[in-house]
Amino acid sequence: MKNIIFLTAFSLLVSCSAKKTPADLIIFNGNIYTSNASLPTAEAVVVHADTITFVGSQRDAFQFKGDDTKIIDLQGKTMTPGFIEGHGHFIGLGFSEMNLDLMGVKNFDEIVEKVKEAAAKAKPGDWIIGRGWHQDKWDEKPADMVKGFPVHDKLSAVSPNNPIVLSHASGHLTLVNKKAMDVAGVSNLSKAALEKLIV
């Protein structure tokens, strides 16, 4: 019996004195989903460098806490597995090589100049497509704007015979000229009506 008590005490002493490598990050206090059928949810996650090294109870996780460990309290928010994944939309990238590249333009006047050059080479009625502009990256903004976006007048002046469609870098907004609006049947909308279309 004495041997059993001695071995138990010894094993407890060893396990308590064993040093755990301090974690770089501990995340806890949220709805932590693991996508692992054997442990679908957890109270905490421990990270060393770029590797998750522990998923389980908050009590066990905090055994890895060191002086420099960063602690993130989820405050009841949800955490799920995921990746930061860079990718390309290959068809879109291919089409972009055939259209006006507006990624590097510094202001609206540069866009107008690019459209003017493209219209000079196009046949009447040909569509001129471009993408990549972002008004928040311009060094100067035009005086006449609607909700922070330029109006079509300058574009229309340099491309009266060609519909122009210029997509925003985000893909969620498009600049067009009068010819394109004629084709779409919205040319007669007032400025107030157009403002309502921009959310």
Side-chain angles (χ1 to χ4, degrees):
M1 187 68 172
K2 289 181 180 179
N3 289 341
I4 293 173
I5 294 172
F6 173 75
L7 288 173
T8 304
F10 180 75
S11 64
L12 285 171
L13 181 63
V14 170
S15 64
C16 290
S17 63
K19 291 185 177 179
K20 296 184 182 296
T21 304
D24 292 315
L25 172 66
I26 296 175
I27 306 168
F28 77 109
N29 191 28
N31 303 307
I32 300 174
Y33 294 99
T34 68
S35 296
N36 183 337
S38 63
L39 182 69
T41 60
E43 294 180 353
V45 172
V46 175
V47 178
H48 288 89
D50 59 356
T51 303
I52 293 173
T53 56
F54 174 82
V55 178
S57 73
Q58 179 178 320
R59 179 183 174 204
D60 290 342
F62 271 81
Q63 292 182 27
F64 294 93
K65 184 179 181 299
D67 293 339
D68 297 322
T69 301
K70 181 179 178 183
I71 306 294
I72 295 179
D73 183 346
L74 293 173
Q75 299 180 353
K77 295 186 177 80
T78 297
M79 175 180 171
T80 61
F83 296 94
I84 297 174
E85 180 262 337
H87 67 282
H89 296 261
F90 291 106
I91 293 176
L93 289 171
F95 276 123
S96 71
E97 293 301 312
M98 301 164 57
N99 303 323
L100 290 180
D101 179 6
L102 305 175
M103 291 289 289
V105 296
K106 295 178 181 175
N107 50 60
F108 186 57
D109 286 338
E110 281 191 24
I111 292 178
V112 172
E113 190 58 35
K114 282 181 175 280
V115 167
K116 181 179 179 180
E117 291 170 8
K121 299 173 187 174
K123 296 176 184 174
D126 285 351
W127 287 76
I128 297 173
I129 312 294
R131 181 171 178 161
W133 62 273
H134 198 303
Q135 76 287 351
D136 289 336
K137 296 181 179 178
W138 293 346
D139 57 12
E140 184 182 357
K141 294 185 180 179
D144 194 7
M145 300 182 82
V146 176
K147 293 190 177 180
F149 301 102
V151 296
H152 73 91
D153 297 351
K154 286 186 176 181
L155 281 179
S156 298
V158 298
S159 56
N161 302 312
N162 300 92
I164 307 294
V165 177
L166 309 175
S167 297
H168 192 266
S170 67
H172 297 290
L173 188 84
T174 301
L175 290 176
V176 297
N177 67 345
K178 183 178 185 306
K179 187 70 174 177
M181 286 189 281
D182 287 343
V183 173
V186 296
S187 294
N188 294 325
L189 290 177
S190 67
K191 187 172 181 180
L194 287 172
E195 285 180 350
K196 289 180 182 177
L197 292 175
I198 301 176
V199 231

